C-alpha cells in the first residue's frame, strides 16, 4: 500500500505505512529504501540519508547506492555522491546513473574513471544540468546565491560541452532526450563500446 501512496505522491501516508512495516520487520532493507525515497521526495534529505544508510547496512545493492548518491547531491555532499556512484559501479559494472556531473570539479577525470570501471557494453545514464545554456538572469541569480553559500559549486557547461566530454572519455551516445520544458537539463545514455 505504501508504494501506491508513493505513486500518488502522498508521501506522508507512504511514510506512515512504512513506519508500521518497519516496526513489524525491521530487517527488510527495501522498507528503509522506500521510506527514504518518500523522505527525499519531501525534501527531508537527512531522514532520507539515514534510511538509505540503514538499507545499505542490511543489504548492499547498486540501486540503493545510486539513490543515496542523488540524496547526497541534493544535500551538497558531492564527494559522498561520487563515492556512492563508485560503490554502485563496483557492485554492478553494467551501468551507472548520474545526475551530479555538473557538480564535479574534474569531470573529464570522473568520466574516464567511470569508463574504465564499466564492463564493455555498459551504460552511463546522465541527466545533468547545463547551466551555461540558461539565460543571463539565472547566471546572475546563481552568482548571488553562490556568494551567500546557497548554491553549490557547479560547472557551467553547455549541452554541447557535456556531449563532447562524454564522447572524449570513449563513450558512444546512444540516446539523447529533453524531458519537460527545460532544454538545459538533457538526458544522455552513453555506451562503452563492446
Amino acid at each position: 500500500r505504501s508504494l501506491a501512496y508513493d505513486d500518488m505522491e502522498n508521501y506522508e501516508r507512504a511514510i506512515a505505512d512504512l513506519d508500521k512495516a518497519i516496526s513489524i520487520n525491521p530487517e527488510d532493507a527495501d522498507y528503509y529504501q522506500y521510506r527514504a525515497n518518500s523522505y527525499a521526495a519531501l525534501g527531508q534529505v537527512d531522514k532520507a540519508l539515514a534510511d538509505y544508510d540503514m538499507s545499505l547496512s542490511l543489504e548492499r545493492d547498486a540501486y540503493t547506492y545510486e539513490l543515496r548518491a542523488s540524496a547526497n547531491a541534493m544535500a551538497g555532499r558531492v564527494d559522498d555522491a561520487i563515492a556512492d556512484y563508485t560503490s554502485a559501479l563496483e557492485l554492478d559494472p553494467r551501468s551507472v546513473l548520474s545526475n551530479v556531473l555538473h557538480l564535479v570539479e574534474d569531470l573529464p577525470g570522473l568520466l574516464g574513471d567511470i569508463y574504465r570501471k564499466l564492463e564493455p557494453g555498459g551504460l552511463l545514464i546522465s541527466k545533468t544540468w547545463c547551466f551555461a545554456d540558461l539565460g543571463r538572469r539565472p547566471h546572475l541569480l546563481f552568482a548571488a546565491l553562490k556568494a551567500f553559500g546557497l548554491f553549490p559549486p557547479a560547472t557551467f557547461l553547455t549541452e554541447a560541452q557535456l556531449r563532447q566530454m562524454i564522447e572524449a572519455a570513449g563513450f558512444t551516445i546512444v540516446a539523447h532526450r529533453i524531458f519537460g520544458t527545460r532544454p538545459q537539463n538533457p538526458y544522455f545514455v552513453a555506451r562503452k563500446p563492446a
Side-chain angles (χ1 to χ4, degrees):
R1 193 170 71 171
S2 66
L3 295 177
Y5 286 136
D6 193 70
D7 287 343
M8 295 184 296
E9 298 182 7
N10 191 340
Y11 303 114
E12 292 87 359
R13 290 194 70 182
I15 290 167
D17 273 8
L18 288 161
D19 287 343
K20 290 177 190 171
I22 289 169
S23 71
I24 294 167
N25 185 2
E27 300 301 314
D28 190 320
D30 289 340
Y31 292 156
Y32 292 98
Q33 184 206 84
Y34 299 151
R35 189 171 70 178
N37 295 343
S38 293
Y39 280 134
L42 290 171
Q44 297 177 23
V45 179
D46 288 334
K47 289 182 178 181
L49 287 168
D51 274 357
Y52 288 133
D53 291 346
M54 181 57 111
S55 178
L56 288 166
S57 75
L58 294 168
E59 179 184 336
R60 293 182 69 227
D61 76 280
Y63 183 60
T64 304
Y65 274 111
E66 290 171 353
L67 292 169
R68 190 173 74 176
S70 294
N72 273 315
M74 286 171 53
R77 299 175 186 144
V78 178
D79 290 339
D80 292 338
I82 292 169
D84 282 341
Y85 280 123
T86 300
S87 294
L89 188 55
E90 288 168 356
L91 287 171
D92 184 0
R94 294 171 294 165
S95 67
V96 65
L97 302 172
S98 180
N99 63 356
V100 297
L101 295 181
H102 60 286
L103 299 174
V104 177
E105 278 185 44
D106 180 15
L107 183 53
L110 176 66
L111 290 170
D113 287 346
I114 291 170
Y115 183 86
R116 283 186 292 281
K117 291 179 181 178
L118 272 176
E119 290 181 350
L123 298 175
L124 166 67
I125 303 166
S126 173
K127 188 174 181 200
T128 300
W129 280 95
C130 292
F131 292 118
D133 287 333
L134 296 171
R136 182 167 162 70
R137 282 188 198 167
H139 283 264
L140 294 173
L141 174 64
F142 294 156
L145 291 171
K146 204 180 223 182
F148 290 103
L150 300 173
F151 192 82
T155 303
F156 281 66
L157 296 167
T158 65
E159 180 182 332
Q161 288 171 320
L162 178 60
R163 175 186 289 274
Q164 182 181 9
M165 286 184 184
I166 292 170
E167 290 173 338
F171 290 99
T172 301
I173 295 175
V174 295
H176 169 261
R177 235 177 121 182
I178 303 295
F179 291 97
T181 60
R182 294 190 173 116
Q184 70 280 1
N185 197 1
Y187 168 86
F188 285 102
V189 178
R191 183 181 311 280
K192 178 177 180 176

